[in-house]
Amino acid sequence: MLEFFGRFHPVFVHLPIGILLLACVFILLSFTARFISLKPAIPIMLLFGALSAVISCITGYLLANSGDYEGQLVNMHQWLGIGVAVLSIGLWMMYSKLKSNLILGVIASILILLMSITGHLGGSLTHGSDYLSLALKNGGGMARPAIQAIPNIQEAYVYQQAIQPLFQNRCYSCHGPEKQKGKLRLDQEIYILKGGEEGHTLVRGKADDSELIKRLLLPLNSDEHMAPKEKPQLTANEIQLLKWWIDNGADFKKKFKDIPQNEAIKPVLAGLEKGGTQEGEAKITEIPSEEISAADPEVLKKFTALGIMVVPVAQHTNYLSANFVNAESMGKEVQELIKSIKKQLVWLKMENGKVNDESLLAIKDCKNLTRLSLNYSGITDNGLAQLKDLDQLQSLSLVGTNISLKGLNQLKKLKKLKFLYLYQTKINKADFASVKRNWPKIILDTGNYSIPKIAQDTMNFKAP
């Protein structure tokens, strides 16, 4: 029922505004001989407008009590709306009896002013307090940087100087102090952690399991997509920033320097330091530039039914990220499903004990894959051979697996490989120099080991 009122309340709002405004203008114009012919239409317009205003007050009251709104702005809008309805009824009742054009003109002018203020407050509730000035501030465009430049970013506080401004400029109009769509507020720590109707908005340490990230990555035309398609959207870099923050515990007090920074987030932070996270600044290079057709929606539903999360890597793209951490099975059915999205799949997390050498047969033809994590899986050197033709692969994580240097050497052809994670494997300290020879420019994460520098090295390397 509340959803019904929420959908049709704007109809009852716009009707009285349009009809009453026109009726008031007709009243003022009818004072001159040129427009005296308008008078017969005014009573019926006032009656229809007044009735619409009353209905609007009723639906607005029910909507205000849905739990999605609170605060002084709602109360002001509510009482002013009631004032519009009462005054419009009074004007309709008095119109035929009053002979004084001055009194009619004053009442009509007051009603116009009252409707203007009420409409502005309603617009602020729906679209945010700066909905009128937004276009002017951005030279006529709708988008603006959500986060201002952060000089010396490593000394800045992550939440206060990046996450909170992002929420404020992209989310508060629907999830702020005045309006809480889905009973979700994002303006204070206590409310962010509490979540909304769907439960926890974010799961600390698990961005991919957080409702916030899931909603951001839904197709733009989805009813559950955040932000609504008519409002400024988060950029890929802004979403990446949120994912990084959540994956590292969603701390509200730490500085940037206190949170681990992988290579994927470093370009985003560089963009923040220069000013903003708009597309074009600090671009993420792990997403192919060439667009591709969308995956079959029915296939994606099958993944979900098997406990596998498959979502777009960013807005406005058909490329996909798949997470098999909670996969219930890695059998033939799953392998066939993977093959059906081989063109769209670019990020793949197969950190699951059920993943083995046979599982990798399903991804050997995923030629657009740029990021692959096989941490703590059951793969061996034999299975690693299936990756040798993934020539777009840039990041490979093999933490906690049984692979050895012999298995890794099968991947020498992967010239675009930039990041390699090898700790807790059978590749020991003595083997790291050989790895560096195969990939001289690679960033190698080896746990707490110190990498010996070799003659071919062209860069300085710091052990973690």
Side-chain angles (χ1 to χ4, degrees):
M1 182 65 72
L2 289 174
E3 184 180 351
F4 171 83
F5 287 125
R7 180 170 296 179
F8 287 99
H9 177 67
V11 176
F12 297 121
V13 167
H14 297 154
L15 275 172
I17 287 177
I19 295 171
L20 285 174
L21 274 175
L22 194 58
C24 290
V25 170
F26 277 19
I27 289 173
L28 297 175
L29 290 174
S30 67
F31 296 158
T32 64
R34 182 179 178 183
F35 294 102
I36 198 168
S37 60
L38 296 175
K39 280 191 172 183
I42 292 173
I44 189 65
M45 292 174 68
L46 287 173
L47 175 60
F48 192 71
L51 290 174
S52 298
V54 171
I55 296 173
S56 177
C57 286
I58 295 171
T59 59
Y61 174 79
L62 293 171
L63 193 59
N65 285 276
S66 66
D68 287 352
Y69 299 86
E70 62 180 50
Q72 186 178 0
L73 190 62
V74 179
N75 292 329
M76 289 175 61
H77 177 64
Q78 202 169 35
W79 284 109
L80 285 172
I82 292 172
V84 169
V86 171
L87 191 57
S88 62
I89 292 172
L91 183 58
W92 168 70
M93 295 176 65
M94 293 185 293
Y95 179 74
S96 299
K97 300 175 183 179
L98 277 175
K99 303 302 179 184
S100 171
N101 287 347
L102 176 62
I103 296 176
L104 282 174
V106 169
I107 296 174
S109 299
I110 292 174
L111 190 53
I112 290 173
L113 178 62
L114 204 57
M115 283 189 289
S116 300
I117 298 172
T118 307
H120 173 66
L121 294 179
S124 297
L125 283 172
T126 304
H127 305 293
S129 58
D130 62 348
Y131 74 102
L132 286 178
S133 59
L134 186 60
L136 295 176
K137 288 179 180 178
N138 296 284
M142 283 300 292
R144 62 173 175 175
I147 308 170
Q148 298 302 313
I150 308 176
N152 194 13
I153 193 168
Q154 295 302 328
E155 292 297 329
Y157 290 92
V158 178
Y159 175 73
Q160 288 86 346
Q161 292 174 259
I163 303 301
Q164 188 176 40
L166 180 58
F167 285 160
Q168 183 174 3
N169 290 310
R170 293 291 183 264
C171 308
Y172 279 14
S173 62
C174 291
H175 305 288
E178 300 294 344
K179 180 181 179 181
Q180 298 88 42
K181 190 175 180 180
K183 296 183 171 57
L184 172 63
R185 285 183 67 166
L186 294 173
D187 60 313
Q188 294 182 34
E189 177 182 350
I190 186 173
Y191 298 123
I192 295 171
L193 296 178
K194 179 182 177 182
E197 288 179 334
E198 300 297 327
H200 293 297
T201 305
L202 59 84
V203 181
R204 281 177 156 169
K206 297 181 179 180
D208 290 336
D209 293 340
S210 299
E211 192 68 24
L212 175 64
I213 301 300
K214 291 180 183 179
R215 295 291 183 95
L216 288 170
L217 294 177
L218 286 173
L220 189 61
N221 59 0
S222 170
D223 291 339
E224 295 184 341
H225 172 80
M226 289 173 50
K229 62 183 178 181
E230 68 273 9
K231 296 189 177 183
Q233 300 295 308
L234 275 73
T235 67
N237 287 343
E238 287 165 354
I239 296 173
Q240 185 78 357
L241 177 69
L242 280 174
K243 291 180 70 174
W244 169 75
W245 178 62
I246 296 171
D247 275 334
N248 286 281
D251 192 280
F252 289 79
K253 297 178 180 179
K254 286 185 177 180
K255 293 183 177 182
F256 281 90
K257 68 179 183 180
D258 299 324
I259 300 178
Q261 296 167 18
N262 57 30
E263 293 304 315
I265 198 61
K266 287 181 181 179
V268 179
L269 301 188
L272 279 175
E273 198 161 27
K274 293 176 183 176
T277 53
Q278 295 298 308
E279 304 297 347
E281 294 185 24
K283 282 199 172 190
I284 300 171
T285 60
E286 295 178 14
I287 304 174
S289 57
E290 182 181 350
E291 195 45 80
I292 200 166
S293 59
D296 185 344
E298 294 302 317
V299 170
L300 301 184
K301 289 180 182 178
K302 291 178 180 179
F303 274 114
T304 302
L306 293 168
I308 302 161
M309 183 187 299
V310 180
V311 296
V313 294
Q315 295 172 19
H316 316 304
T317 181
N318 292 321
Y319 287 107
L320 300 174
S321 169
N323 188 335
F324 284 74
V325 172
N326 297 317
E328 299 170 0
S329 167
M330 287 301 301
K332 292 291 185 182
E333 180 185 5
V334 174
Q335 292 180 38
E336 291 303 315
L337 286 175
I338 294 173
K339 291 177 183 178
S340 67
I341 60 168
K342 63 183 181 181
K343 293 181 180 179
Q344 293 85 7
L345 195 57
V346 290
W347 298 352
L348 181 56
K349 183 181 287 188
M350 301 183 81
E351 299 176 356
N352 190 314
K354 299 182 181 70
V355 174
N356 54 32
D357 292 343
E358 186 178 354
S359 307
L360 298 187
L361 288 170
I363 69 172
K364 69 175 185 177
D365 293 321
C366 297
K367 296 301 176 64
N368 286 324
L369 205 61
T370 62
R371 185 188 299 180
L372 176 60
S373 179
L374 297 165
N375 298 343
Y376 305 105
S377 64
I379 65 165
T380 68
D381 289 346
N382 293 331
L384 211 57
Q386 306 302 328
L387 311 181
K388 61 183 175 61
D389 294 321
L390 301 181
D391 53 11
Q392 298 302 311
L393 199 62
Q394 299 179 33
S395 175
L396 177 61
S397 188
L398 301 168
V399 177
T401 62
N402 288 319
I403 62 100
S404 69
L405 181 62
K406 179 181 177 181
L408 192 63
N409 283 340
Q410 299 173 95
L411 307 182
K412 288 180 181 180
K413 289 171 56 179
L414 304 185
K415 300 303 181 183
K416 291 189 178 181
L417 201 59
K418 299 177 182 177
F419 314 109
L420 192 55
Y421 303 85
L422 295 177
Y423 53 93
Q424 297 178 15
T425 66
K426 290 184 177 180
I427 299 177
N428 56 44
K429 183 178 179 180
D431 296 329
F432 294 144
S434 178
V435 175
K436 289 288 286 180
R437 289 191 187 94
N438 290 337
W439 297 280
K441 296 182 179 181
I442 203 165
I443 294 175
L444 188 59
D445 191 332
T446 61
N448 295 318
Y449 294 104
S450 183
I451 308 300
K453 189 170 181 178
I454 59 176
Q456 290 91 332
D457 279 351
T458 58
M459 60 180 288
N460 291 326
F461 182 87
K462 282 187 177 180

